[in-house]
Amino acid sequence: MEPWELAGHDFIAFDEDLSIRRELDRFFRAHNVEVRVAMHFDNIQTIKEAVALGNGIAILPARTMQTEIAQSRLVAVRLKAPGWCVPWAWCIASGRR
């Protein structure tokens, strides 16, 4: 998935005081992508739950979603993000478009 495809989606973000949020905000600015921050949380598990409930999409390290993907609770799509040091994917609730 290309970064521009994230534009306009409701986004479940990390809290603004976390370094991962600042990094994602820089990524969005660098790719001229505007997302609507629907919710923000301080941990990955809560973000995954919000996504699984259909509240929006999120960008998370792919390795943190393995259990939910195996359970068919989330679907991961690899995000093209050259230069980032971990494999990232955006996730959506299983069964949603």
Side-chain angles (χ1 to χ4, degrees):
M1 165 171 262
E2 296 291 338
W4 62 266
E5 294 178 86
L6 300 171
H9 285 279
D10 287 335
F11 190 73
I12 311 301
F14 288 93
D15 283 343
E16 292 177 345
D17 60 335
L18 298 176
S19 60
I20 191 168
R21 169 68 181 270
R22 291 188 296 272
E23 189 66 31
L24 287 167
D25 287 346
R26 274 193 288 273
F27 174 80
F28 290 141
R29 280 192 305 276
H31 290 88
N32 296 316
V33 173
E34 285 191 39
V35 295
R36 292 184 302 263
V37 176
M39 300 176 173
H40 54 91
F41 299 104
D42 65 353
N43 67 77
I44 290 173
Q45 189 60 40
T46 307
I47 292 172
K48 290 189 292 187
E49 288 303 315
V51 172
L53 291 171
N55 293 309
I57 65 171
I59 296 177
L60 299 169
R63 73 185 190 295
T64 67
M65 298 185 289
Q66 293 173 351
T67 300
E68 290 80 4
I69 292 167
Q71 296 169 343
S72 298
R73 293 188 68 227
L74 296 177
V75 175
V77 178
R78 188 163 301 277
L79 177 63
K80 292 183 182 176
W84 283 21
C85 60
V86 294
W88 292 89
W90 69 285
C91 60
I92 58 174
S94 179
R96 294 184 62 120
R97 292 187 66 134

